[in-house]
């Protein structure tokens, strides 16, 4: 059993376009078993919130304690102060404008006993970053840049333990930066030339097929496997994707001067070809004073957003002190 305060349990939720995961998370960041269900993203906001509430209910009932707070890391541009969705891609039907915090607060009220559950909502990559700074690869860092490369390309900047939100709630949205090599390639946002159009997993697969690759290739994972096996075209596509991400990261590093860079997501597991391309392009672009900034693989894996979202819920319920740097980050390079 994860240690909790007497006033109840806290649940972290990672709400993605494909699946939703949730777990109890203690005040020190220890997570219990993660439960997951498919996200009914195309069935509308009510269906999504019903699924999240049912999942949280299962987690809380298994704990046998009242619900104190829920922290949600959700896909889309999120107004964290209001707990609402500002904008989103077509992955979620009708998602913009959804009051995630209010909808979940109403659905989960019976679990909170005599009180009302605290519900916090933030962007899923911000939650991922908060988890890595709290208990992961960037633990103790005063500032960190988290880059998540998977179905899309996301980013988050953490300063003094708090994700930077920005005036329009899009701080860190690296996937929509214009980058060399992506000219004419369409991004999920509808525009062309963005990082996500060349660096994300689906983009790797599309580009391999478009340039004459095996039409039987089912996904980016297969393209990476072909690259490892020596397929020249697959090698070129995977390397170009890694270089594009590396150049974009170098640009953000130059503006923000983070203490550490952490890279995670499904594509980050592609192996040395992708990693060496990313790190090589990054090191070639940054000024000398930034040449030794650690570039580290994410440490918490799929649990990062669950843990980070719960951190926000613990803080909102005034149960834990603000996060401050305490553990020095060990310099190093990604494998």
């Amino acid at each position: 059993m994860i240690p909790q305060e007497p006033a109840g349990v806290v649940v972290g939720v990672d709400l993605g376009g494909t699946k939703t995961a949730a777990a109890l998370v203690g005040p020190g960041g220890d997570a219990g078993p993660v439960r997951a269900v498919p996200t009914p993203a195309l069935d509308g906001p009510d269906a999504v919130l019903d699924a999240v509430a049912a999942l949280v209910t299962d987690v809380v009932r298994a704990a046998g304690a009242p619900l104190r707070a829920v922290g949600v890391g959700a896909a889309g541009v999120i107004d964290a102060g209001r707990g609402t969705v500002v904008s989103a891609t077509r992955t979620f039907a009708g998602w913009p404008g959804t009051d995630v915090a209010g909808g979940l607060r109403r659905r989960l009220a019976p679990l909170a006993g005599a009180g009302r559950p605290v519900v916090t909502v933030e962007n899923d990559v911000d939650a991922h970053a908060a988890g890595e700074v709290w208990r992961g690869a960037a633990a103790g860092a005063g500032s960190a840049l988290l880059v998540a490369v998977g179905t899309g390309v996301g980013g988050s900047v953490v300063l003094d333990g708090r994700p930077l939100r920005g005036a329009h709630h899009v701080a860190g949205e690296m996937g929509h930066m214009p980058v060399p090599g992506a000219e004419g390639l369409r991004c999920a946002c509808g525009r062309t030339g963005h990082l996500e159009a060349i660096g994300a997993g689906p983009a790797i697969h599309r580009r391999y097929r478009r340039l004459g690759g095996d039409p039987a290739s089912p996904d980016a994972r297969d393209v990476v496997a072909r690259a490892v096996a020596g397929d020249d075209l697959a090698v070129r596509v995977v390397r170009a994707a890694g270089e594009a991400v590396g150049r974009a990261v170098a640009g953000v590093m130059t503006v923000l001067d983070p203490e550490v860079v952490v890279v995670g997501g499904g594509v980050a597991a592609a192996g040395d070809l992708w990693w060496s391309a990313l790190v090589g392009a990054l090191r070639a672009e940054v000024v000398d004073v930034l040449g030794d900034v650690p570039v580290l693989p994410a440490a918490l894996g799929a649990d990062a957003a669950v843990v980070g979202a719960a951190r926000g819920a613990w803080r909102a319920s005034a149960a834990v002190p603000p996060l401050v740097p305490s553990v020095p980050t060990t310099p190093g390079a990604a494998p």
Side-chain angles (χ1 to χ4, degrees):
M1 176 67 70
I2 299 300
Q4 304 281 336
E5 296 291 320
V9 298
V10 170
V11 179
V13 178
D14 180 8
L15 172 53
T18 303
K19 72 174 183 177
T20 300
L24 292 181
V25 179
D30 296 314
V34 176
R35 302 185 181 210
V37 296
T39 303
L42 297 180
D43 294 338
D46 283 337
V48 172
L49 297 182
D50 286 345
V52 174
L55 180 60
V56 172
T57 298
D58 288 345
V59 171
V60 172
R61 286 180 175 166
L67 176 65
R68 179 192 188 102
V70 177
V72 181
V77 176
I78 305 296
D79 181 339
R82 297 174 180 270
T84 59
V85 182
V86 176
S87 66
T89 66
R90 292 185 293 271
T91 303
F92 279 79
W95 198 229
T98 301
D99 181 3
V100 179
L104 289 179
R105 196 176 293 115
R106 289 191 298 273
R107 288 167 170 81
L108 297 172
L111 300 178
R116 285 194 347 155
V118 172
V119 179
T120 61
V121 186
E122 61 187 317
N123 170 263
D124 52 356
V125 181
D126 284 348
H128 190 148
E132 289 291 340
V133 170
W134 191 15
R135 292 294 301 268
S143 61
L145 170 64
L146 185 285
V147 184
V149 189
T151 304
V153 180
S156 180
V157 180
V158 179
L159 302 175
D160 297 325
R162 295 181 181 275
L164 180 66
R165 310 294 186 187
H168 303 90
H169 318 291
V170 295
E173 286 286 347
M174 289 180 53
H176 305 294
M177 292 175 57
V179 295
E183 297 87 353
L185 301 178
R186 186 163 297 278
C187 179
C189 72
R191 293 169 175 81
T192 60
H194 291 180
L195 174 60
E196 195 165 293
I198 189 172
I204 290 173
H205 182 237
R206 284 195 303 270
R207 193 163 189 237
Y208 172 75
R209 294 276 299 271
R210 185 172 59 82
L211 294 177
D214 187 346
S217 173
D219 52 30
R221 187 178 289 107
D222 175 75
V223 177
V224 171
R226 290 171 185 267
V228 172
D231 181 316
D232 288 342
L233 177 58
V235 167
R236 180 154 56 94
V237 170
V238 171
R239 181 176 290 137
E243 290 173 346
V245 175
R247 290 191 191 98
V249 173
V252 176
M253 286 174 63
T254 304
V255 172
L256 297 176
D257 188 16
E259 188 176 330
V260 62
V261 175
V262 177
V263 184
V267 175
D272 184 65
L273 174 65
W274 185 85
W275 268 104
S276 61
L278 181 151
V279 175
L282 184 158
R283 299 295 186 204
E285 294 284 352
V286 296
V287 294
D288 291 347
V289 71
L290 298 177
D292 293 330
V293 172
V295 180
L296 307 174
L300 297 184
D303 294 348
V306 168
V307 172
R311 173 73 193 185
W314 274 115
R315 295 180 76 164
S317 62
V320 290
L323 181 65
V324 295
S326 58
V327 181
T329 303
T330 302

